[in-house]
Amino acid sequence: MSTPSGTRLGRSRPRAAWHLATVADVRPETPTAVRLTLEVPGWPGSEAGAHLDLRLTAPDGYQASRSYSIASSTPEGDVVLAVDELPDGEVSPFLVHEVRSGDQLEVHGPLGSFFVWRPGESDRPVQLVAGGSGVVPLYAIAAAHGASGDTAPLRLLYSVRRPDDVFFADELAALDGPAFALDVVYTRQAPDGWTAPVGRLDKAALAASTIPASQRPRVYVCGSTRFVETIAGWLQELGHSPTDIRTERFGGL
Ligand SMILES: Cc1cc2nc3c(=O)[nH]c(=O)nc-3n(C[C@H](O)[C@H](O)[C@H](O)COP(=O)(O)OP(=O)(O)OC[C@H]3O[C@@H](n4cnc5c(N)ncnc54)[C@H](O)[C@@H]3O)c2cc1C
């Protein structure tokens, strides 16, 4: 039940608004991506899995905005984004190559109340499936799950091209624990000594590396549009109910 002010029983949901953010830190995340840490005065925090809209304004007044998932998921503190470069893109090359500490960016958020995970909401297991940069909101969910002490099992299947392309590699390794499992599928090149097959995720590998439908996991899938639609289709063929599958499409084909 919710009130007009957006307050759910016992829990208030952060309200979206425009904010002027200052870039506090820029660091390489992968060979093609950066991690941006933003100081955002008045930021209300965000639920794990939420995103924001980032708007750039050129000197001639031309504006472009794109959505970015929020890797941080706490009420206080800086907002962390991770942006992968699409070489022919309009916004992402600027964010990856041109943005510096001290720059100011306009952000609108937090946004999204469907593709979010809330601690204690359910004791059913949670399966996350990420393709490439689609891991950003799923990392936020995994981190929030770890920080909350929620005991529902959570498993992340992460499809990525090469070891260097893994986002939040150290943070994901640190999440290792009894309620968290990480499965990685390398599509082009694996680390030395890797014994699992290298190549595109297929339905058999998806079935082998995810919580079976018989356990009724709540499933979150995020990545390029084609990745998400392929995975969601296979999950249904494997017996998962469409109502148990939440998807976030980052775009592209
Ligand atoms: C809710 C949401 C959250 C998102 N979170 C993130 C995030 O955390 N990190 C991140 O890096 N990106 C994220 N994205 C994608 C982001 O919004 C932009 O689409 C992306 O940065 C490309 O913008 P661009 O201006 O550089 O490319 P554009 O100029 O918009 O597009 C250039 C070309 O690339 C194609 N294209 C656009 N997006 C993709 C894609 N994802 N994969 C393949 N081809 C594509 C377009 O069709 C076009 O042909 C998110 C998208 C959504 C909807």
Side-chain angles (χ1 to χ4, degrees), residues 177-215:
F180 176 71
L182 173 64
D183 304 89
V184 181
V185 171
Y186 294 100
T187 61
R188 303 246 177 105
Q189 181 202 323
D192 291 343
W194 190 257
T195 52
V198 174
R200 274 210 171 161
L201 190 58
D202 58 20
K203 193 166 99 175
L206 181 72
S209 310
T210 49
I211 301 167
S214 58
Q215 295 183 26

PDB file of all heavy atoms in Angstrom, residues 177-215:
ATOM      1  N   GLY A 177      30.428 -15.468  -0.319  1.00  0.00           N
ATOM      2  CA  GLY A 177      29.942 -15.855   1.004  1.00  0.00           C
ATOM      3  C   GLY A 177      28.869 -16.907   0.859  1.00  0.00           C
ATOM      4  O   GLY A 177      28.495 -17.268  -0.256  1.00  0.00           O
ATOM      5  N   PRO A 178      28.338 -17.390   1.992  1.00  0.00           N
ATOM      6  CA  PRO A 178      27.399 -18.515   1.921  1.00  0.00           C
ATOM      7  C   PRO A 178      26.121 -18.210   1.151  1.00  0.00           C
ATOM      8  O   PRO A 178      25.510 -19.121   0.590  1.00  0.00           O
ATOM      9  CB  PRO A 178      27.089 -18.814   3.399  1.00  0.00           C
ATOM     10  CG  PRO A 178      27.586 -17.651   4.172  1.00  0.00           C
ATOM     11  CD  PRO A 178      28.621 -16.967   3.356  1.00  0.00           C
ATOM     12  N   ALA A 179      25.685 -16.938   1.118  1.00  0.00           N
ATOM     13  CA  ALA A 179      24.420 -16.638   0.428  1.00  0.00           C
ATOM     14  C   ALA A 179      24.636 -16.087  -0.966  1.00  0.00           C
ATOM     15  O   ALA A 179      23.691 -15.670  -1.627  1.00  0.00           O
ATOM     16  CB  ALA A 179      23.606 -15.644   1.262  1.00  0.00           C
ATOM     17  N   PHE A 180      25.909 -16.044  -1.442  1.00  0.00           N
ATOM     18  CA  PHE A 180      26.190 -15.446  -2.748  1.00  0.00           C
ATOM     19  C   PHE A 180      27.043 -16.384  -3.586  1.00  0.00           C
ATOM     20  O   PHE A 180      28.021 -16.943  -3.105  1.00  0.00           O
ATOM     21  CB  PHE A 180      26.924 -14.106  -2.576  1.00  0.00           C
ATOM     22  CG  PHE A 180      27.340 -13.473  -3.883  1.00  0.00           C
ATOM     23  CD1 PHE A 180      26.393 -12.921  -4.736  1.00  0.00           C
ATOM     24  CD2 PHE A 180      28.674 -13.443  -4.269  1.00  0.00           C
ATOM     25  CE1 PHE A 180      26.764 -12.347  -5.944  1.00  0.00           C
ATOM     26  CE2 PHE A 180      29.063 -12.867  -5.480  1.00  0.00           C
ATOM     27  CZ  PHE A 180      28.100 -12.325  -6.310  1.00  0.00           C
ATOM     28  N   ALA A 181      26.680 -16.541  -4.848  1.00  0.00           N
ATOM     29  CA  ALA A 181      27.504 -17.330  -5.764  1.00  0.00           C
ATOM     30  C   ALA A 181      27.659 -16.568  -7.072  1.00  0.00           C
ATOM     31  O   ALA A 181      26.706 -15.954  -7.557  1.00  0.00           O
ATOM     32  CB  ALA A 181      26.844 -18.679  -6.027  1.00  0.00           C
ATOM     33  N   LEU A 182      28.870 -16.584  -7.599  1.00  0.00           N
ATOM     34  CA  LEU A 182      29.173 -15.902  -8.860  1.00  0.00           C
ATOM     35  C   LEU A 182      29.603 -16.936  -9.895  1.00  0.00           C
ATOM     36  O   LEU A 182      30.509 -17.732  -9.649  1.00  0.00           O
ATOM     37  CB  LEU A 182      30.301 -14.884  -8.633  1.00  0.00           C
ATOM     38  CG  LEU A 182      30.870 -14.200  -9.879  1.00  0.00           C
ATOM     39  CD1 LEU A 182      29.813 -13.338 -10.556  1.00  0.00           C
ATOM     40  CD2 LEU A 182      32.085 -13.351  -9.503  1.00  0.00           C
ATOM     41  N   ASP A 183      28.950 -16.912 -11.051  1.00  0.00           N
ATOM     42  CA  ASP A 183      29.339 -17.755 -12.189  1.00  0.00           C
ATOM     43  C   ASP A 183      29.693 -16.818 -13.327  1.00  0.00           C
ATOM     44  O   ASP A 183      28.905 -15.926 -13.656  1.00  0.00           O
ATOM     45  CB  ASP A 183      28.181 -18.647 -12.633  1.00  0.00           C
ATOM     46  CG  ASP A 183      27.643 -19.508 -11.503  1.00  0.00           C
ATOM     47  OD1 ASP A 183      26.731 -19.036 -10.782  1.00  0.00           O
ATOM     48  OD2 ASP A 183      28.142 -20.624 -11.333  1.00  0.00           O
ATOM     49  N   VAL A 184      30.858 -17.013 -13.923  1.00  0.00           N
ATOM     50  CA  VAL A 184      31.266 -16.167 -15.043  1.00  0.00           C
ATOM     51  C   VAL A 184      31.363 -17.011 -16.300  1.00  0.00           C
ATOM     52  O   VAL A 184      31.903 -18.120 -16.273  1.00  0.00           O
ATOM     53  CB  VAL A 184      32.624 -15.475 -14.754  1.00  0.00           C
ATOM     54  CG1 VAL A 184      33.019 -14.575 -15.916  1.00  0.00           C
ATOM     55  CG2 VAL A 184      32.556 -14.662 -13.468  1.00  0.00           C
ATOM     56  N   VAL A 185      30.826 -16.482 -17.385  1.00  0.00           N
ATOM     57  CA  VAL A 185      31.002 -17.098 -18.703  1.00  0.00           C
ATOM     58  C   VAL A 185      31.822 -16.121 -19.534  1.00  0.00           C
ATOM     59  O   VAL A 185      31.421 -14.970 -19.703  1.00  0.00           O
ATOM     60  CB  VAL A 185      29.641 -17.357 -19.391  1.00  0.00           C
ATOM     61  CG1 VAL A 185      29.840 -17.783 -20.838  1.00  0.00           C
ATOM     62  CG2 VAL A 185      28.852 -18.401 -18.627  1.00  0.00           C
ATOM     63  N   TYR A 186      32.992 -16.574 -20.011  1.00  0.00           N
ATOM     64  CA  TYR A 186      33.825 -15.735 -20.880  1.00  0.00           C
ATOM     65  C   TYR A 186      33.481 -16.061 -22.328  1.00  0.00           C
ATOM     66  O   TYR A 186      33.531 -17.230 -22.728  1.00  0.00           O
ATOM     67  CB  TYR A 186      35.309 -15.982 -20.611  1.00  0.00           C
ATOM     68  CG  TYR A 186      35.725 -15.547 -19.228  1.00  0.00           C
ATOM     69  CD1 TYR A 186      35.859 -16.472 -18.195  1.00  0.00           C
ATOM     70  CD2 TYR A 186      35.963 -14.204 -18.954  1.00  0.00           C
ATOM     71  CE1 TYR A 186      36.218 -16.073 -16.908  1.00  0.00           C
ATOM     72  CE2 TYR A 186      36.314 -13.796 -17.683  1.00  0.00           C
ATOM     73  CZ  TYR A 186      36.450 -14.733 -16.668  1.00  0.00           C
ATOM     74  OH  TYR A 186      36.793 -14.322 -15.408  1.00  0.00           O
ATOM     75  N   THR A 187      33.153 -15.026 -23.084  1.00  0.00           N
ATOM     76  CA  THR A 187      32.703 -15.295 -24.452  1.00  0.00           C
ATOM     77  C   THR A 187      33.837 -15.271 -25.467  1.00  0.00           C
ATOM     78  O   THR A 187      33.705 -15.832 -26.555  1.00  0.00           O
ATOM     79  CB  THR A 187      31.610 -14.296 -24.873  1.00  0.00           C
ATOM     80  OG1 THR A 187      32.148 -12.975 -24.843  1.00  0.00           O
ATOM     81  CG2 THR A 187      30.405 -14.377 -23.944  1.00  0.00           C
ATOM     82  N   ARG A 188      34.966 -14.593 -25.156  1.00  0.00           N
ATOM     83  CA  ARG A 188      36.067 -14.533 -26.139  1.00  0.00           C
ATOM     84  C   ARG A 188      37.368 -15.125 -25.600  1.00  0.00           C
ATOM     85  O   ARG A 188      38.077 -15.802 -26.318  1.00  0.00           O
ATOM     86  CB  ARG A 188      36.334 -13.071 -26.534  1.00  0.00           C
ATOM     87  CG  ARG A 188      35.124 -12.368 -27.093  1.00  0.00           C
ATOM     88  CD  ARG A 188      35.284 -11.986 -28.549  1.00  0.00           C
ATOM     89  NE  ARG A 188      34.050 -11.390 -29.025  1.00  0.00           N
ATOM     90  CZ  ARG A 188      33.883 -10.089 -29.236  1.00  0.00           C
ATOM     91  NH1 ARG A 188      34.886  -9.255 -29.059  1.00  0.00           N
ATOM     92  NH2 ARG A 188      32.728  -9.609 -29.658  1.00  0.00           N
ATOM     93  N   GLN A 189      37.692 -14.801 -24.342  1.00  0.00           N
ATOM     94  CA  GLN A 189      38.977 -15.246 -23.805  1.00  0.00           C
ATOM     95  C   GLN A 189      38.858 -15.409 -22.295  1.00  0.00           C
ATOM     96  O   GLN A 189      38.313 -14.519 -21.625  1.00  0.00           O
ATOM     97  CB  GLN A 189      40.042 -14.193 -24.126  1.00  0.00           C
ATOM     98  CG  GLN A 189      41.439 -14.530 -23.660  1.00  0.00           C
ATOM     99  CD  GLN A 189      42.279 -13.263 -23.529  1.00  0.00           C
ATOM    100  OE1 GLN A 189      42.157 -12.336 -24.324  1.00  0.00           O
ATOM    101  NE2 GLN A 189      43.115 -13.221 -22.506  1.00  0.00           N
ATOM    102  N   ALA A 190      39.370 -16.536 -21.781  1.00  0.00           N
ATOM    103  CA  ALA A 190      39.257 -16.822 -20.350  1.00  0.00           C
ATOM    104  C   ALA A 190      40.609 -16.656 -19.667  1.00  0.00           C
ATOM    105  O   ALA A 190      41.643 -16.620 -20.340  1.00  0.00           O
ATOM    106  CB  ALA A 190      38.744 -18.240 -20.158  1.00  0.00           C
ATOM    107  N   PRO A 191      40.647 -16.571 -18.342  1.00  0.00           N
ATOM    108  CA  PRO A 191      41.937 -16.504 -17.639  1.00  0.00           C
ATOM    109  C   PRO A 191      42.708 -17.810 -17.818  1.00  0.00           C
ATOM    110  O   PRO A 191      42.115 -18.857 -18.087  1.00  0.00           O
ATOM    111  CB  PRO A 191      41.540 -16.317 -16.174  1.00  0.00           C
ATOM    112  CG  PRO A 191      40.075 -16.113 -16.132  1.00  0.00           C
ATOM    113  CD  PRO A 191      39.498 -16.561 -17.425  1.00  0.00           C
ATOM    114  N   ASP A 192      44.019 -17.732 -17.626  1.00  0.00           N
ATOM    115  CA  ASP A 192      44.840 -18.937 -17.692  1.00  0.00           C
ATOM    116  C   ASP A 192      44.287 -19.981 -16.721  1.00  0.00           C
ATOM    117  O   ASP A 192      43.930 -19.643 -15.589  1.00  0.00           O
ATOM    118  CB  ASP A 192      46.293 -18.623 -17.318  1.00  0.00           C
ATOM    119  CG  ASP A 192      46.962 -17.764 -18.382  1.00  0.00           C
ATOM    120  OD1 ASP A 192      46.418 -17.701 -19.512  1.00  0.00           O
ATOM    121  OD2 ASP A 192      47.993 -17.155 -18.068  1.00  0.00           O
ATOM    122  N   GLY A 193      44.259 -21.210 -17.163  1.00  0.00           N
ATOM    123  CA  GLY A 193      43.844 -22.295 -16.281  1.00  0.00           C
ATOM    124  C   GLY A 193      42.342 -22.489 -16.198  1.00  0.00           C
ATOM    125  O   GLY A 193      41.861 -23.392 -15.505  1.00  0.00           O
ATOM    126  N   TRP A 194      41.593 -21.657 -16.908  1.00  0.00           N
ATOM    127  CA  TRP A 194      40.129 -21.767 -16.891  1.00  0.00           C
ATOM    128  C   TRP A 194      39.717 -23.050 -17.604  1.00  0.00           C
ATOM    129  O   TRP A 194      40.160 -23.314 -18.723  1.00  0.00           O
ATOM    130  CB  TRP A 194      39.539 -20.555 -17.619  1.00  0.00           C
ATOM    131  CG  TRP A 194      38.058 -20.376 -17.514  1.00  0.00           C
ATOM    132  CD1 TRP A 194      37.132 -20.662 -18.471  1.00  0.00           C
ATOM    133  CD2 TRP A 194      37.332 -19.844 -16.408  1.00  0.00           C
ATOM    134  NE1 TRP A 194      35.877 -20.338 -18.033  1.00  0.00           N
ATOM    135  CE2 TRP A 194      35.971 -19.833 -16.762  1.00  0.00           C
ATOM    136  CE3 TRP A 194      37.701 -19.374 -15.137  1.00  0.00           C
ATOM    137  CZ2 TRP A 194      34.973 -19.366 -15.898  1.00  0.00           C
ATOM    138  CZ3 TRP A 194      36.716 -18.914 -14.290  1.00  0.00           C
ATOM    139  CH2 TRP A 194      35.372 -18.918 -14.672  1.00  0.00           C
ATOM    140  N   THR A 195      38.898 -23.863 -16.988  1.00  0.00           N
ATOM    141  CA  THR A 195      38.577 -25.160 -17.602  1.00  0.00           C
ATOM    142  C   THR A 195      37.203 -25.179 -18.270  1.00  0.00           C
ATOM    143  O   THR A 195      36.930 -26.051 -19.098  1.00  0.00           O
ATOM    144  CB  THR A 195      38.625 -26.282 -16.539  1.00  0.00           C
ATOM    145  OG1 THR A 195      37.801 -25.901 -15.438  1.00  0.00           O
ATOM    146  CG2 THR A 195      40.047 -26.526 -16.066  1.00  0.00           C
ATOM    147  N   ALA A 196      36.341 -24.227 -17.910  1.00  0.00           N
ATOM    148  CA  ALA A 196      34.993 -24.208 -18.517  1.00  0.00           C
ATOM    149  C   ALA A 196      35.097 -23.744 -19.969  1.00  0.00           C
ATOM    150  O   ALA A 196      36.065 -23.086 -20.355  1.00  0.00           O
ATOM    151  CB  ALA A 196      34.088 -23.286 -17.718  1.00  0.00           C
ATOM    152  N   PRO A 197      34.089 -24.058 -20.780  1.00  0.00           N
ATOM    153  CA  PRO A 197      34.136 -23.642 -22.188  1.00  0.00           C
ATOM    154  C   PRO A 197      34.131 -22.124 -22.329  1.00  0.00           C
ATOM    155  O   PRO A 197      33.579 -21.413 -21.495  1.00  0.00           O
ATOM    156  CB  PRO A 197      32.844 -24.222 -22.770  1.00  0.00           C
ATOM    157  CG  PRO A 197      32.308 -25.177 -21.778  1.00  0.00           C
ATOM    158  CD  PRO A 197      32.890 -24.831 -20.452  1.00  0.00           C
ATOM    159  N   VAL A 198      34.807 -21.654 -23.394  1.00  0.00           N
ATOM    160  CA  VAL A 198      34.784 -20.227 -23.725  1.00  0.00           C
ATOM    161  C   VAL A 198      33.883 -20.054 -24.937  1.00  0.00           C
ATOM    162  O   VAL A 198      34.012 -20.772 -25.919  1.00  0.00           O
ATOM    163  CB  VAL A 198      36.214 -19.727 -24.032  1.00  0.00           C
ATOM    164  CG1 VAL A 198      36.193 -18.279 -24.521  1.00  0.00           C
ATOM    165  CG2 VAL A 198      37.094 -19.862 -22.793  1.00  0.00           C
ATOM    166  N   GLY A 199      32.961 -19.108 -24.868  1.00  0.00           N
ATOM    167  CA  GLY A 199      32.056 -18.890 -25.994  1.00  0.00           C
ATOM    168  C   GLY A 199      30.736 -18.351 -25.495  1.00  0.00           C
ATOM    169  O   GLY A 199      30.515 -18.243 -24.284  1.00  0.00           O
ATOM    170  N   ARG A 200      29.911 -18.013 -26.443  1.00  0.00           N
ATOM    171  CA  ARG A 200      28.620 -17.417 -26.105  1.00  0.00           C
ATOM    172  C   ARG A 200      27.803 -18.296 -25.175  1.00  0.00           C
ATOM    173  O   ARG A 200      27.773 -19.520 -25.344  1.00  0.00           O
ATOM    174  CB  ARG A 200      27.817 -17.194 -27.378  1.00  0.00           C
ATOM    175  CG  ARG A 200      28.136 -15.907 -28.025  1.00  0.00           C
ATOM    176  CD  ARG A 200      26.908 -15.422 -28.755  1.00  0.00           C
ATOM    177  NE  ARG A 200      27.137 -14.058 -29.211  1.00  0.00           N
ATOM    178  CZ  ARG A 200      26.445 -13.494 -30.159  1.00  0.00           C
ATOM    179  NH1 ARG A 200      25.479 -14.152 -30.749  1.00  0.00           N
ATOM    180  NH2 ARG A 200      26.693 -12.267 -30.504  1.00  0.00           N
ATOM    181  N   LEU A 201      27.152 -17.658 -24.265  1.00  0.00           N
ATOM    182  CA  LEU A 201      26.234 -18.353 -23.372  1.00  0.00           C
ATOM    183  C   LEU A 201      25.142 -19.025 -24.222  1.00  0.00           C
ATOM    184  O   LEU A 201      24.597 -18.399 -25.128  1.00  0.00           O
ATOM    185  CB  LEU A 201      25.613 -17.295 -22.447  1.00  0.00           C
ATOM    186  CG  LEU A 201      24.783 -17.736 -21.253  1.00  0.00           C
ATOM    187  CD1 LEU A 201      25.586 -18.629 -20.315  1.00  0.00           C
ATOM    188  CD2 LEU A 201      24.308 -16.495 -20.489  1.00  0.00           C
ATOM    189  N   ASP A 202      24.886 -20.309 -23.948  1.00  0.00           N
ATOM    190  CA  ASP A 202      23.770 -20.956 -24.636  1.00  0.00           C
ATOM    191  C   ASP A 202      22.774 -21.459 -23.597  1.00  0.00           C
ATOM    192  O   ASP A 202      22.987 -21.304 -22.390  1.00  0.00           O
ATOM    193  CB  ASP A 202      24.255 -22.072 -25.568  1.00  0.00           C
ATOM    194  CG  ASP A 202      25.035 -23.144 -24.836  1.00  0.00           C
ATOM    195  OD1 ASP A 202      24.893 -23.244 -23.595  1.00  0.00           O
ATOM    196  OD2 ASP A 202      25.791 -23.881 -25.486  1.00  0.00           O
ATOM    197  N   LYS A 203      21.696 -22.039 -24.080  1.00  0.00           N
ATOM    198  CA  LYS A 203      20.624 -22.413 -23.156  1.00  0.00           C
ATOM    199  C   LYS A 203      21.091 -23.473 -22.160  1.00  0.00           C
ATOM    200  O   LYS A 203      20.726 -23.427 -20.982  1.00  0.00           O
ATOM    201  CB  LYS A 203      19.402 -22.905 -23.938  1.00  0.00           C
ATOM    202  CG  LYS A 203      18.170 -23.007 -23.071  1.00  0.00           C
ATOM    203  CD  LYS A 203      16.917 -23.157 -23.908  1.00  0.00           C
ATOM    204  CE  LYS A 203      16.477 -24.584 -24.005  1.00  0.00           C
ATOM    205  NZ  LYS A 203      15.215 -24.784 -24.707  1.00  0.00           N
ATOM    206  N   ALA A 204      21.949 -24.400 -22.625  1.00  0.00           N
ATOM    207  CA  ALA A 204      22.417 -25.458 -21.722  1.00  0.00           C
ATOM    208  C   ALA A 204      23.281 -24.861 -20.607  1.00  0.00           C
ATOM    209  O   ALA A 204      23.151 -25.226 -19.424  1.00  0.00           O
ATOM    210  CB  ALA A 204      23.203 -26.501 -22.507  1.00  0.00           C
ATOM    211  N   ALA A 205      24.170 -23.921 -20.981  1.00  0.00           N
ATOM    212  CA  ALA A 205      25.028 -23.292 -19.972  1.00  0.00           C
ATOM    213  C   ALA A 205      24.190 -22.436 -19.020  1.00  0.00           C
ATOM    214  O   ALA A 205      24.470 -22.370 -17.814  1.00  0.00           O
ATOM    215  CB  ALA A 205      26.098 -22.438 -20.654  1.00  0.00           C
ATOM    216  N   LEU A 206      23.168 -21.790 -19.566  1.00  0.00           N
ATOM    217  CA  LEU A 206      22.276 -20.990 -18.708  1.00  0.00           C
ATOM    218  C   LEU A 206      21.601 -21.900 -17.679  1.00  0.00           C
ATOM    219  O   LEU A 206      21.553 -21.588 -16.486  1.00  0.00           O
ATOM    220  CB  LEU A 206      21.230 -20.290 -19.572  1.00  0.00           C
ATOM    221  CG  LEU A 206      20.231 -19.402 -18.823  1.00  0.00           C
ATOM    222  CD1 LEU A 206      20.903 -18.133 -18.319  1.00  0.00           C
ATOM    223  CD2 LEU A 206      19.046 -19.037 -19.738  1.00  0.00           C
ATOM    224  N   ALA A 207      21.111 -23.049 -18.160  1.00  0.00           N
ATOM    225  CA  ALA A 207      20.436 -23.980 -17.247  1.00  0.00           C
ATOM    226  C   ALA A 207      21.397 -24.495 -16.183  1.00  0.00           C
ATOM    227  O   ALA A 207      21.028 -24.639 -15.009  1.00  0.00           O
ATOM    228  CB  ALA A 207      19.849 -25.140 -18.043  1.00  0.00           C
ATOM    229  N   ALA A 208      22.654 -24.752 -16.598  1.00  0.00           N
ATOM    230  CA  ALA A 208      23.620 -25.345 -15.675  1.00  0.00           C
ATOM    231  C   ALA A 208      24.123 -24.341 -14.636  1.00  0.00           C
ATOM    232  O   ALA A 208      24.600 -24.741 -13.572  1.00  0.00           O
ATOM    233  CB  ALA A 208      24.800 -25.911 -16.473  1.00  0.00           C
ATOM    234  N   SER A 209      24.023 -23.050 -14.928  1.00  0.00           N
ATOM    235  CA  SER A 209      24.656 -22.037 -14.065  1.00  0.00           C
ATOM    236  C   SER A 209      23.637 -21.125 -13.400  1.00  0.00           C
ATOM    237  O   SER A 209      23.998 -20.034 -12.950  1.00  0.00           O
ATOM    238  CB  SER A 209      25.620 -21.172 -14.886  1.00  0.00           C
ATOM    239  OG  SER A 209      26.483 -21.974 -15.632  1.00  0.00           O
ATOM    240  N   THR A 210      22.394 -21.536 -13.357  1.00  0.00           N
ATOM    241  CA  THR A 210      21.378 -20.704 -12.717  1.00  0.00           C
ATOM    242  C   THR A 210      20.507 -21.554 -11.794  1.00  0.00           C
ATOM    243  O   THR A 210      20.467 -22.781 -11.912  1.00  0.00           O
ATOM    244  CB  THR A 210      20.476 -20.003 -13.771  1.00  0.00           C
ATOM    245  OG1 THR A 210      20.035 -20.978 -14.717  1.00  0.00           O
ATOM    246  CG2 THR A 210      21.209 -18.895 -14.486  1.00  0.00           C
ATOM    247  N   ILE A 211      19.818 -20.879 -10.911  1.00  0.00           N
ATOM    248  CA  ILE A 211      18.925 -21.567  -9.966  1.00  0.00           C
ATOM    249  C   ILE A 211      17.752 -22.139 -10.761  1.00  0.00           C
ATOM    250  O   ILE A 211      17.113 -21.417 -11.534  1.00  0.00           O
ATOM    251  CB  ILE A 211      18.424 -20.572  -8.896  1.00  0.00           C
ATOM    252  CG1 ILE A 211      19.612 -19.966  -8.134  1.00  0.00           C
ATOM    253  CG2 ILE A 211      17.457 -21.257  -7.933  1.00  0.00           C
ATOM    254  CD1 ILE A 211      19.262 -18.758  -7.281  1.00  0.00           C
ATOM    255  N   PRO A 212      17.458 -23.436 -10.602  1.00  0.00           N
ATOM    256  CA  PRO A 212      16.411 -24.042 -11.443  1.00  0.00           C
ATOM    257  C   PRO A 212      15.026 -23.453 -11.161  1.00  0.00           C
ATOM    258  O   PRO A 212      14.745 -22.989 -10.054  1.00  0.00           O
ATOM    259  CB  PRO A 212      16.465 -25.528 -11.080  1.00  0.00           C
ATOM    260  CG  PRO A 212      17.271 -25.632  -9.850  1.00  0.00           C
ATOM    261  CD  PRO A 212      18.114 -24.406  -9.716  1.00  0.00           C
ATOM    262  N   ALA A 213      14.191 -23.517 -12.192  1.00  0.00           N
ATOM    263  CA  ALA A 213      12.827 -22.975 -12.082  1.00  0.00           C
ATOM    264  C   ALA A 213      12.058 -23.635 -10.948  1.00  0.00           C
ATOM    265  O   ALA A 213      11.177 -23.011 -10.351  1.00  0.00           O
ATOM    266  CB  ALA A 213      12.103 -23.171 -13.411  1.00  0.00           C
ATOM    267  N   SER A 214      12.392 -24.893 -10.651  1.00  0.00           N
ATOM    268  CA  SER A 214      11.673 -25.608  -9.578  1.00  0.00           C
ATOM    269  C   SER A 214      11.814 -24.908  -8.226  1.00  0.00           C
ATOM    270  O   SER A 214      10.990 -25.066  -7.343  1.00  0.00           O
ATOM    271  CB  SER A 214      12.193 -27.046  -9.477  1.00  0.00           C
ATOM    272  OG  SER A 214      13.585 -27.027  -9.224  1.00  0.00           O
ATOM    273  N   GLN A 215      12.890 -24.090  -8.066  1.00  0.00           N
ATOM    274  CA  GLN A 215      13.086 -23.364  -6.802  1.00  0.00           C
ATOM    275  C   GLN A 215      12.449 -21.974  -6.821  1.00  0.00           C
ATOM    276  O   GLN A 215      12.580 -21.211  -5.890  1.00  0.00           O
ATOM    277  CB  GLN A 215      14.580 -23.254  -6.479  1.00  0.00           C
ATOM    278  CG  GLN A 215      15.222 -24.603  -6.211  1.00  0.00           C
ATOM    279  CD  GLN A 215      16.686 -24.471  -5.813  1.00  0.00           C
ATOM    280  OE1 GLN A 215      17.120 -23.459  -5.280  1.00  0.00           O
ATOM    281  NE2 GLN A 215      17.461 -25.504  -6.088  1.00  0.00           N
TER     282      GLN A 215
END
